[in-house]
Amino acid sequence: MKKNRVIAVYSRKSKYTGKGESIGNQVEMAKEYISMHYPDEDLDSVLVYEDEGFSGGNLNRPNFKLMMQDAKDGLIKTIIVYRLDRISRNVSDFSGLIEQLNDLNIDFVSIREQFDTATPMGRAMMYIASVFSQLERETIAERIRDNMHELAKTGRWLGGTTPTGYTSESVEKISVDGKAKKSCKLKLLPEEATIVQTIFNLFFRNKIPDENRDEAGPGRDKDQTGEFFLQVFH
């Protein structure tokens, strides 16, 4: 017996906030759209797929994969999202997805942009919008990289495991408007710095590192993470 295909709602957010375009809000807006444009559709039959904490940079998301499997199994007739970039910010991924949905005879609707792949114009406009979505993603990433590079040039430590011989310390400064601002900088650890200098001296003298472990200081040749200093030469 052939199954009746139903409408699916997909929602995604990179991190939980509980406000704005939250997962719950996206689903509610999609259901309101269904009530207005698909009045004969039973809201209780709508399939909801949610991916919270996943980037739009690729399609490697558990519930998105589940939705696509259900689509291939013939359970879905239309996929509705609140906004185009909830599906993907990658043009290649998005265009491939739309082609796949077309082959499965599944319509795709984006509420915010008012796109509907049931029409030729809707399909064309959706491709154009996906290009700008990827442009926005790449522009934001580039801006973040540039900003981090400029902050690093001022001597700030931007996070991660500190280099052997250093630790991270918080520094507070008062800005011109009187506000206290905190940042992190690297602080030299003299006890580790001496060991690191010894290691490099031994290395540049063409000695085999593992044979000189004792010379670096027995019982003191591990860094803050518990790793041996000399392993950097392996």
Side-chain angles (χ1 to χ4, degrees), residues 88-103:
S88 178
R89 291 178 180 269
N90 183 290
V91 174
S92 177
D93 286 342
F94 183 80
S95 60
L97 170 66
I98 295 303
E99 291 299 325
Q100 188 176 7
L101 295 180
N102 285 340
D103 293 340

Side-chain angles (χ1 to χ4, degrees), residues 93-229:
D93 286 342
F94 183 80
S95 60
L97 170 66
I98 295 303
E99 291 299 325
Q100 188 176 7
L101 295 180
N102 285 340
D103 293 340
L104 295 170
N105 195 29
I106 296 174
D107 294 331
F108 179 84
V109 176
S110 177
I111 300 172
R112 179 79 173 269
E113 295 87 356
Q114 297 185 349
F115 293 153
D116 187 343
T117 58
T119 67
M121 183 59 73
R123 285 193 293 273
M125 293 304 296
M126 198 165 290
Y127 281 121
I128 293 172
S130 69
V131 170
F132 283 100
S133 178
Q134 179 167 337
L135 174 63
E136 178 189 24
R137 172 174 170 263
E138 292 177 353
T139 300
I140 291 173
E142 184 178 44
R143 189 182 304 131
I144 292 173
R145 284 195 300 270
D146 290 345
N147 186 48
M148 292 183 72
H149 184 256
E150 290 303 313
L151 289 174
K153 284 164 65 175
T154 67
R156 296 192 192 184
W157 176 247
L158 303 177
T161 302
T162 56
T164 300
Y166 294 88
T167 187
S168 175
E169 68 172 355
S170 179
V171 178
E172 185 175 291
K173 290 185 177 180
I174 306 299
S175 61
V176 291
D177 57 2
K179 294 182 180 179
K181 292 186 177 181
K182 288 186 177 181
S183 62
C184 290
K185 291 196 173 187
L186 291 178
K187 178 184 178 182
L188 185 69
L189 291 177
E191 62 276 14
E192 284 190 3
T194 301
I195 299 172
V196 173
Q197 187 61 55
T198 301
I199 292 170
F200 275 88
N201 288 339
L202 292 173
F203 178 77
F204 284 115
R205 274 188 266 159
N206 296 319
K207 293 188 177 181
I208 301 174
D210 286 341
E211 293 181 355
N212 297 303
R213 185 177 299 279
D214 290 340
E215 292 187 52
R220 298 173 55 199
D221 54 353
K222 289 186 179 180
D223 63 14
Q224 302 165 72
T225 66
E227 298 292 328
F228 285 104
F229 291 126

Side-chain angles (χ1 to χ4, degrees), residues 7 28-41 43 80 111 114:
I7 293 176
E28 285 304 309
M29 287 184 280
K31 288 186 175 181
E32 289 175 8
Y33 181 91
I34 294 170
S35 297
M36 291 176 60
H37 295 83
Y38 301 86
D40 297 331
E41 195 73 26
L43 289 180
I80 296 178
I111 300 172
Q114 297 185 349

